């Protein structure tokens, strides 16, 4: 296991119960430092894309390390503020520009306007003159149609061919464009980053007032041994060169912003569950390990066919008596899609994992579950409570950072007319 010991698992079971998420402070801080070390020519400000995991204890660690915030919604802005971020360190790029952002704009929260309608809306408010614009540069690199956020099939950002229209709207509302933003999806290929950085710099040519280029997130990590991880130094080096060339050509020294979510969080959290039942469909079928968790905590496998490392952990003395066999790991919801071992990239198909023969009561630890798991699960489906979250401190102590939801909290907003 990445950072948990068997003793940790026993302590977690006794103190908070399963399922629970455990974040590792040392990994969070090390990842933040790797991000702060991203190559740049004329200044860098990395922002944490907080939708990956928005719990206050995680935000506070990144605040201490000196990261800013990329918020995806107005409620996320408020959450970052409550966790201690100053308004000057938060930037919003949202698909829904809610009316109450008018107050935050006044307080100095920055924004990347993501559509022509958002330019109209923000311009009419007249609360702030300085804006960023998010463009869809016409190219994407996401792993599949659900993680691809660039190109003609993506709804995110102002389409590249609407550039002139965006410029004239900004002039009409007297908006000063200080930043160009692109975010085109997960990728580890330096060539793709280079292409996107140069497309984004080209957009900046049309805006003499632009001082900052924001290249978004999408730094892919390797959850499974056959996946390729992003080397930040490798993807950043050619980008730095492009900024230098741009400065030589134009005299403009642009600052760089990046917004990783996955890179900062993915490996920094494990989901601790237990096997609570075992079922079998006989010789032609499968042996199913049923966890006390599932899509209520981790939806990525059901949604994308995403693969996560799975460790079946029994008492240390027993491990040697457990043969390795092919098993299917499923969740606890009444839903056949609640599957932890889909075929890679194909959530419709079921696959097996070669794991020690599981028994009821064994721990099952799902790793690399920090990004888009706790924050993006089918919470409260089947009326299961939201799971607890724990921080493994740098000294090894386990500290509760989010309590398990109570039954009353699940139904507290219901009204019987
Ligand atoms: C989600 C998101 C990110 C982070 O993406 P990762 O793939 O998690 O790094 C960054 N910027 C924007 C605008 C986003 O929507």
């Amino acid at each position: 296991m990445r950072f948990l010991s068997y003793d940790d698992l026993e302590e977690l079971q006794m103190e908070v119960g399963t399922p629970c998420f455990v974040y590792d402070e040392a990994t969070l801080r090390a990842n933040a430092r790797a991000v702060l070390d991203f190559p740049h020519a004329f200044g860098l400000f990395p922002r944490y894309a907080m939708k990956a995991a928005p719990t206050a204890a995680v935000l506070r660690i990144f605040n201490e390390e000196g990261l800013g915030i990329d918020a995806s919604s107005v409620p996320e802005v408020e959450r970052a503020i409550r966790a201690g971020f100053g308004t000057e360190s938060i930037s919003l790029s949202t698909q829904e520009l809610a009316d109450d952002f008018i107050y935050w704009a006044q307080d100095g929260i920055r924004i990347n306007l993501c559509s022509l309608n958002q330019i109209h809306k923000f311009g009419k408010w007249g609360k702030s003159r300085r804006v960023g614009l998010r463009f869809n540069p016409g190219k994407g690199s996401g792993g599949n149609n659900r993680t691809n956020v660039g190109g003609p099939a993506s709804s995110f950002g102002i389409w590249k061919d609407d550039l002139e229209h965006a410029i004239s709207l900004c002039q009409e509302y007297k908006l000063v464009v200080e930043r160009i933003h692109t975010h085109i999806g997960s990728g580890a290929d330096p060539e793709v980053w280079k292409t996107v950085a140069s497309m984004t710099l080209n957009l900046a040519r049309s805006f003499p007032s632009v001082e900052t280029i924001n290249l978004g997130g999408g730094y892919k990590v390797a959850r499974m041994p056959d996946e390729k991880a992003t080397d930040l130094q490798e993807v950043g080096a050619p980008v730095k060169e492009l900024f230098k060339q741009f400065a030589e050509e134009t005299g403009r020294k642009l600052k760089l912003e990046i917004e990783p979510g996955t890179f900062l969080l993915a490996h920094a959290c494990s989901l601790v569950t237990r096997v609570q039942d075992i079922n079998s469909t006989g010789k032609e079928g499968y042996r199913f390990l049923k966890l006390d968790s599932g899509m209520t905590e981790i939806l990525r496998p059901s949604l994308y066919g995403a693969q996560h490392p799975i460790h079946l952990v029994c008492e240390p003395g027993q491990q040697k008596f457990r043969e390795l066999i092919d098993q299917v790991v499923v969740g606890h919801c009444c839903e056949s899609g609640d599957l932890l071992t889909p075929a890679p990239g194909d959530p419709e198909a079921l696959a097996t994992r070669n794991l020690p023969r599981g028994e009821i009561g064994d721990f099952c630890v799902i790793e690399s579950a920090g990004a888009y798991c706790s924050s993006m699960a089918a919470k409260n489906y089947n009326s299961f409570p939201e799971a607890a979250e724990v921080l493994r401190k740098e000294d090894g102590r386990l500290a509760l950072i989010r309590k398990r939801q109570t039954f009353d909290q699940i139904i507290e907003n219901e009204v019987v007319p």
Side-chain angles (χ1 to χ4, degrees), residues 20 87 93 131 162 219 238 300 321 337 409:
C20 65
T87 50
S93 299
V131 297
D162 290 331
Y219 306 88
R300 300 184 72 257
F321 302 113
Q409 286 170 334

Side-chain angles (χ1 to χ4, degrees), residues 40-113:
H40 62 90
F42 310 110
L44 168 76
F45 189 44
R47 302 175 178 278
Y48 168 46
M50 66 179 279
K51 70 182 187 291
T55 309
V58 172
L59 298 182
R60 282 175 185 277
I61 288 172
F62 289 149
N63 194 357
E64 279 172 23
E65 292 293 337
L67 304 184
I69 285 289
D70 161 48
S72 296
S73 68
V74 178
E76 276 193 355
V77 169
E78 179 150 6
R79 212 163 171 179
I81 299 259
R82 296 247 192 140
F85 278 92
T87 50
E88 73 292 343
S89 56
I90 303 171
S91 158
L92 175 71
S93 299
T94 185
Q95 302 314 306
E96 180 176 354
L97 182 52
D99 292 336
D100 45 345
F101 188 71
I102 194 169
Y103 304 109
W104 294 118
Q106 215 157 275
D107 284 349
I109 306 254
R110 303 193 172 192
I111 187 163
N112 294 311
L113 299 169

Side-chain angles (χ1 to χ4, degrees), residues 49 51 70 72 93 134 181 183 186 216-219 259-262 372:
K51 70 182 187 291
D70 161 48
S72 296
S93 299
R134 174 174 178 175
H181 178 280
H183 167 71
S186 306
Y219 306 88
E259 299 169 337
T262 303
Y372 309 103

Side-chain angles (χ1 to χ4, degrees), residues 295-342:
M295 61 199 288
T296 44
E297 281 71 40
I298 179 167
L299 194 57
R300 300 184 72 257
S302 309
L303 203 56
Y304 312 131
Q307 305 291 302
H308 286 260
I310 298 177
H311 292 279
L312 192 103
V313 188
C314 57
E315 279 176 42
Q318 268 192 37
Q319 208 99 29
K320 59 178 177 290
F321 302 113
R322 302 286 186 90
E323 54 175 336
L324 283 172
I325 56 171
D326 289 337
Q327 297 161 97
V328 174
V329 184
V330 297
H332 57 175
C333 291
C334 299
E335 161 73 40
S336 52
D338 191 6
L339 177 65
L340 277 298
T341 52

Side-chain angles (χ1 to χ4, degrees), residues 67 76 102 146 181-184 192 214 234 240 244 248 250 286 296 303 309 315 317 354 356 359 392:
L67 304 184
E76 276 193 355
I102 194 169
R146 299 195 188 167
H181 178 280
T182 54
H183 167 71
I184 59 129
V192 176
N214 183 321
E234 190 189 354
K240 177 179 170 178
K244 280 192 184 161
E248 276 163 31
T250 64
Y286 303 95
T296 44
L303 203 56
E315 279 176 42
N354 198 250
E359 299 296 349
R392 184 178 182 279

Side-chain angles (χ1 to χ4, degrees), residues 344-410:
D346 181 7
E348 309 297 326
L350 157 163
T352 57
R353 236 2 124 81
N354 198 250
L355 297 168
R357 188 183 177 85
E359 299 296 349
I360 292 174
D362 288 346
F363 288 106
C364 189
V365 179
I366 321 283
E367 291 200 318
S368 304
Y372 309 103
C373 294
S374 180
S375 65
M376 197 186 73
K379 257 169 221 176
N380 291 159
Y381 183 46
N382 286 199
S383 298
F384 287 117
E386 182 179 63
E389 294 188 324
V390 170
L391 180 69
R392 184 178 182 279
K393 309 273 287 179
E394 282 182 298
D395 63 9
R397 271 184 312 131
L398 299 170
L400 188 66
I401 58 171
R402 187 179 79 188
K403 297 178 199 166
R404 166 170 299 107
Q405 205 179 21
T406 64
F407 180 75
D408 284 338
Q409 286 170 334
I410 297 176

